[in-house]
Amino acid sequence: METLLSKSLKIAAVVSAYWCISISMVFLNKYLLSSQDLKLDAPLFVTWYQCVVTVLLCFIFSGLSKIFPNVFTFPEMNIDPKLCRGTLPLSIVFVCMITFNNLCLKNVGVAFYNIGRSLTTVFNVAFSYVMLKQMTSGPALLCCGVIIGGFFLGVDQEGASGDLSMLGVLFGVCASASVALNAIYTKKVLPIVDNNIWRLTLYNNVNATFLFLPLMIVFGEFSEVLNFPLLFEFHFWFFMSLSGVLGFAIGTITGLQIQFTSPLTHNISGTAKAAVQTVIACLYFHDLKSVLWWLGNVTVLGGSAAYTEVKRREMKSAHNQQLPVSRKTDSEEKQPMGYGKR
């Protein structure tokens, strides 16, 4: 009983931490990207600095792991130019992903943010078919249709309220496509770094710190940053550094949530978190939304949850079909009726 209670408390703590970190990161990034207090028009610089913080934290935790091996473990970090080149294709997609995410957040409200980048599942299905030749079932495609319908309803209602930024929507669509591509390329590149997600995080962010530099020059962000009135203010760099720490932490807590629960539970948790985040944003920013606007959000979240459930059932069915017939029969004979459904 104590073991079950302890496990439940750990799961609750991990899920709660995931929600807090993820929601905090969205609100903090919104503040840095489009706050009237800062008025810093340099989204690429903000994103670049977050990558720099992640690289530093990787080396710091690697060093602490050597000094205090009994406290926590972290893989040894070193930079190999060959691995930098090998992970470069993924890093380019990674840069696009975090850039479009932040540009979307800069141009839309936090309440609309989830709608703006809600097509990730749809792009994942499309890219899996085009790049990996993986077919998708009819029920899963129907769920994608529901998500698309909710997306367009949400965009329509955001426009009706006068708050719509078509540029923000465009960035959201690009962010959704980049997230889907990032997942596909991650599977391809992970073997290069011995399937170590932290080493991949290091190389992604190291490459990103260099890839962002020419982009910042092209878009004139260096002059924007140098002329920024709060450039030498402590509170500005505190929030900038905090956003980088949260960006690093979200990777850790996401892995822990999957480890303590399952990928399915992680997806459900993310969907529920998105709903709570939308409600919090509307309350915090005093946004009054129409019934149809909320229906668009519910449709997107419902379609995403349904897609996750459909894929879970398909994976379970495929797994059962791969089991030896004799083993499956013996198992079913030994169990009372309904035992496996509890």
Side-chain angles (χ1 to χ4, degrees):
M1 186 67 178
E2 292 181 359
T3 303
L4 180 61
L5 178 61
S6 176
K7 183 179 180 181
S8 298
L9 290 175
K10 288 180 180 179
I11 292 175
V14 169
V15 172
S16 299
Y18 169 76
W19 280 36
C20 291
I21 292 172
S22 181
I23 293 175
S24 299
M25 186 171 64
V26 170
F27 277 86
L28 181 55
N29 279 344
K30 181 63 177 176
Y31 172 76
L32 292 170
L33 293 166
S34 58
S35 169
Q36 291 300 313
D37 295 336
L38 298 180
K39 296 180 180 179
L40 175 63
D41 187 20
L44 296 177
F45 169 73
V46 172
T47 312
W48 170 82
Y49 184 77
Q50 291 170 348
C51 292
V52 172
V53 171
T54 297
V55 172
L56 292 176
L57 288 174
C58 283
F59 281 107
I60 288 173
F61 280 108
S62 179
L64 290 175
S65 180
K66 294 178 181 179
I67 300 174
F68 307 105
N70 296 327
V71 178
F72 63 92
T73 59
F74 200 86
E76 183 177 355
M77 291 292 161
N78 50 65
I79 299 177
D80 185 343
K82 292 182 179 179
L83 291 181
C84 285
R85 292 193 295 269
T87 56
L88 185 58
L90 172 62
S91 298
I92 293 173
V93 175
F94 172 75
V95 166
C96 292
M97 179 183 71
I98 57 179
T99 299
F100 286 132
N101 267 327
N102 279 353
L103 287 175
C104 174
L105 185 58
K106 175 180 172 62
N107 288 276
V108 305
V110 176
F112 185 73
Y113 179 58
N114 288 308
I115 289 286
R117 49 190 294 280
S118 61
L119 298 181
T120 299
T121 299
V122 178
F123 280 112
N124 188 46
V125 169
F127 290 146
S128 294
Y129 175 75
V130 173
M131 301 174 64
L132 305 177
K133 307 303 178 184
Q134 293 180 353
M135 302 297 293
T136 303
S137 67
L141 289 176
L142 180 61
C143 294
C144 290
V146 172
I147 295 172
I148 293 173
F151 169 79
F152 281 110
L153 179 58
V155 170
D156 177 72
Q157 290 303 302
E158 187 76 1
S161 67
D163 298 326
L164 181 66
S165 166
M166 287 307 300
L167 188 61
V169 173
L170 177 62
F171 286 138
V173 172
C174 292
S176 299
S178 300
V179 170
L181 280 175
N182 186 73
I184 293 174
Y185 274 94
T186 296
K187 292 180 181 179
K188 292 184 176 181
V189 173
L190 260 175
I192 298 177
V193 291
D194 300 324
N195 292 309
N196 189 303
I197 196 66
W198 284 120
R199 293 187 70 195
L200 184 61
T201 298
L202 173 67
Y203 282 103
N204 258 344
N205 284 274
V206 167
N207 286 337
T209 56
F210 291 100
L211 290 172
F212 272 119
L213 294 176
L215 291 176
M216 287 190 287
I217 294 174
V218 170
F219 289 96
E221 290 199 2
F222 279 106
S223 59
E224 175 72 22
V225 172
L226 291 175
N227 294 317
F228 181 53
L230 303 178
L231 183 60
F232 298 102
E233 294 291 333
F234 171 79
H235 82 276
F236 168 69
W237 289 108
F238 172 78
F239 286 123
M240 285 280 286
S241 300
L242 180 59
S243 70
V245 171
L246 290 177
F248 178 85
I250 194 65
T252 304
I253 201 63
T254 296
L256 285 175
Q257 181 168 245
I258 294 173
Q259 177 184 343
F260 278 91
T261 58
S262 67
L264 171 64
T265 304
H266 169 66
N267 289 336
I268 295 174
S269 174
T271 302
K273 188 273 302 183
V276 172
Q277 179 177 294
T278 300
V279 173
I280 293 175
C282 287
L283 293 174
Y284 182 79
F285 294 105
H286 305 289
D287 291 338
L288 297 177
K289 302 296 184 181
S290 67
V291 174
L292 288 178
W293 187 93
W294 284 105
L295 180 60
N297 274 269
V298 171
T299 302
V300 165
L301 295 173
S304 300
Y307 178 87
T308 301
E309 175 62 18
V310 167
K311 297 301 290 184
R312 182 192 71 82
R313 292 185 179 183
E314 291 177 354
M315 291 175 63
K316 183 178 180 181
S317 176
H319 175 72
N320 289 338
Q321 290 176 3
Q322 291 174 359
L323 290 175
V325 176
S326 59
R327 178 183 173 186
K328 183 177 179 181
T329 303
D330 292 341
S331 177
E332 290 175 346
E333 288 178 351
K334 293 177 181 178
Q335 292 181 1
M337 184 66 70
Y339 178 84
K341 296 181 181 179
R342 291 183 181 178

